[in-house]
Amino acid sequence: MREFPLTLNRFIIQSQASHQGATGEFSSLLTQIGLVGKLISEDLRRAGLINILGTTGDTNVQGETVKKLDALANDDFVKVFQHSGYVCALASEEMEKPISMPGNWPQGKYMLLFDPLDGSSNTDNNMPLGAIFSVLKYDRADRLPTEGDMIRRGTEQVAAGYLLYGSSTMLVYTVGEGVYGFTLEPGIGEYLLSHVQVRIPDKGKVYAANEGNYNKWSEGTRKYVDALKVSDKATGRPYSARYSGCLVADVHRLLLGGGIYLYPGEADKPEGKLRLLYEANPLAFVVEQAGGKASTGTARILEVEPKKLHQRVPLIIGSRLDVEQAEAYIQGRA
Ligand code: AHG
Ligand code: MN
Ligand code: MN
């Protein structure tokens, strides 16, 4: 007889049972993230057939072209969570301002920040995509959260994770007690536990970076990436380059196999490209929980003091020793 698989729902109910005072609200929130993942992956499976490829003609708050799938994925998140009673505020890459739940609706105690679709340049060519989420707790009962209440350091996240729409759909998350991964079994529409307490190797052999930007990088970053290409048996170099254009997919690869992802600052864009609150922070929380590191090059991502909802940050993330070595080059110590 085959072993009974552990579904996401059963896993969270079991984990919740070991937490005193847990109300079940958090478990429901994660289940709803899973639901968003099912909705989006169903659309993606048919994307070439149902006129959802291409752009909407709009530009988002980041000044980037909005793909139809960006808008659709954002709508799915909002529809699932608005009025759900699980959250009191939502903030997204695709929305200039957060949404606060109307006062006459049930208020959850969590605030959800998300990148509804990560890797948008991959939408039209059947390449991997993802979504990233960060969960903060809101403790005040006297008023609804404001935008300022959502602008918190990464260390204050109570949970974070991502959905990966690759050859299979996965939900990977942490609540600060290690990292768990679930794979969507399409036949039964359930997420089944597939990765228990993921540990990222201390060192890898793969680097992911958009090297087209090489000439815009700082000297230290350039030297680091140059060094990865020099043959040296003892340190496993040269490293292999793997860059998908989807941060989630690249981070997922290195979470399982080790290595480093870099989206550094550039001469005319020192703040880098990626967003702190709903890209870098949640992935940093996951990777740290798996034993890895996430850095701006000079500081721990999770300790960066955020000033703006859509703030950008340079991101260097992955295996502990690889990130430390990149920091040494960037800081001129190597
Ligand atoms: P998004 O699709 O949410 O805007 O994020 C795209 C991000 C990230 O997924 C990826 O690693 C990076 O941008 C790719 O940027 P380049 O095309 O500049 O390499
Ligand atoms: Mn993104
Ligand atoms: Mn996005």
Side-chain angles (χ1 to χ4, degrees), residues 312-332:
R312 296 176 192 266
V313 74
L315 177 66
I316 292 147
I317 187 167
S319 291
R320 184 175 60 83
L321 296 174
D322 289 311
V323 172
E324 284 171 3
Q325 195 178 28
E327 283 177 323
Y329 274 92
I330 290 167
Q331 294 169 20

Side-chain angles (χ1 to χ4, degrees), residues 130 248 266:
V248 167
E266 296 168 6

Side-chain angles (χ1 to χ4, degrees), residues 94-214:
E94 301 299 336
M95 305 190 296
E96 187 175 358
K97 294 283 169 199
I99 299 182
S100 278
M101 300 308 127
N104 53 342
W105 283 87
Q107 300 292 321
K109 57 178 177 250
Y110 296 106
M111 302 185 289
L112 183 69
L113 296 91
F114 53 93
D115 172 358
L117 196 71
D118 175 63
S120 308
S121 70
N122 287 350
T123 49
D124 297 355
N125 40 41
N126 206 1
M127 295 273 287
L129 291 157
I132 312 173
F133 63 93
S134 166
V135 183
L136 297 167
K137 209 163 168 194
Y138 185 66
D139 290 321
R140 297 179 65 145
D142 57 326
R143 61 164 176 81
L144 291 173
T146 61
E147 179 172 335
D149 292 317
M150 303 189 87
I151 304 177
R152 304 243 205 107
R153 279 181 182 214
T155 45
E156 292 190 41
Q157 295 173 104
V158 293
Y162 57 82
L163 289 154
L164 169 60
Y165 312 111
S167 44
S168 54
T169 294
M170 288 193 69
L171 170 58
V172 176
Y173 76 90
T174 185
V175 294
E177 295 171 356
V179 178
Y180 291 87
F182 295 80
T183 302
L184 181 62
E185 159 57 92
I188 56 172
E190 290 276 4
Y191 290 90
L192 304 181
L193 181 62
S194 52
H195 296 68
V196 178
Q197 285 285 1
V198 179
R199 298 303 293 170
I200 179 170
D202 277 344
K203 184 184 158 337
K205 287 184 174 177
V206 167
Y207 74 100
N210 183 343
E211 253 184 294
N213 296 324
Y214 181 90

Side-chain angles (χ1 to χ4, degrees), residues 93 115 117-119 132 247 274-275 279:
E93 178 192 355
D115 172 358
L117 196 71
D118 175 63
I132 312 173
L247 171 66
L274 300 171
R275 278 56 58 118
E279 291 186 312

